[in-house]
Amino acid sequence: MQTGTHVGCEHGVCGACTVIVDDAAVRSCLMLAVQAEGARVTTVEGLSNIEALSPLQAAFRKHHALQCGFCTPGMLTTAHALLSEEPGASRERIREVLSGNLCRCTGYVSIVEAVYEARSAYVGKKGGPA
Ligand code: FES
Ligand code: FES
């Protein structure tokens, strides 16, 4: 079965495997399954429903913030966790947080712009937009 969460380096370096565990972005390749017991785990599939893209996903599409898409699930989950906690994050802060997620295609500018634009959807919504 094809899933959104990708396996890249398997060493905690690339961020492609990032999921959200109890509101924190976590590299799933570094986590044992038993550590997730009792935790709420959200993959990229959980960021939206089947009827519509989330505001963050829509911003990625608008800004062409992906090319091959391999890094995208990790970028989205990392950015979602960030904006859920810091909806006023500056471009510098977004760039700092996303620096742990490797993208070989985009050059990051479009990704940072997409995340920056999506900030308004998170203001006043603890845990992110529904
Ligand atoms: S696969 Fe690269 S950080 Fe997990
Ligand atoms: S879009 Fe290809 S690795 Fe980021």
Side-chain angles (χ1 to χ4, degrees):
M1 184 173 91
Q2 186 75 27
T3 59
T5 306
H6 289 153
V7 177
C9 65
E10 294 186 74
H11 287 91
V13 174
C14 74
C17 67
T18 305
V19 300
I20 301 169
V21 180
D22 290 337
D23 301 326
V26 169
R27 281 152 199 242
S28 58
C29 70
L30 298 181
M31 187 174 179
L32 298 173
V34 70
Q35 292 176 286
E37 186 171 343
R40 181 167 36 85
V41 179
T42 304
T43 66
V44 68
E45 289 89 348
L47 298 186
S48 63
N49 58 45
I50 57 172
E51 276 133 35
L53 297 175
S54 72
L56 180 61
Q57 290 169 323
F60 265 61
R61 182 167 69 179
K62 175 182 170 184
H63 287 274
H64 307 292
L66 63 145
Q67 290 180 28
C68 80
F70 192 84
C71 70
T72 310
M75 291 288 185
L76 288 167
T77 47
T78 301
H80 178 80
L82 169 64
L83 294 182
S84 295
E85 284 297 315
E86 301 176 41
S90 66
R91 283 187 174 86
E92 290 69 29
R93 176 64 175 149
I94 293 166
R95 189 172 286 278
E96 176 190 19
V97 171
L98 292 182
S99 67
N101 290 62
L102 303 185
C103 176
R104 63 186 175 183
C105 304
T106 66
Y108 292 89
V109 172
S110 55
I111 295 173
V112 172
E113 285 307 306
V115 176
Y116 190 79
E117 180 174 304
R119 298 183 317 162
S120 59
Y122 287 80
V123 174
K125 295 179 184 163
K126 185 76 178 160

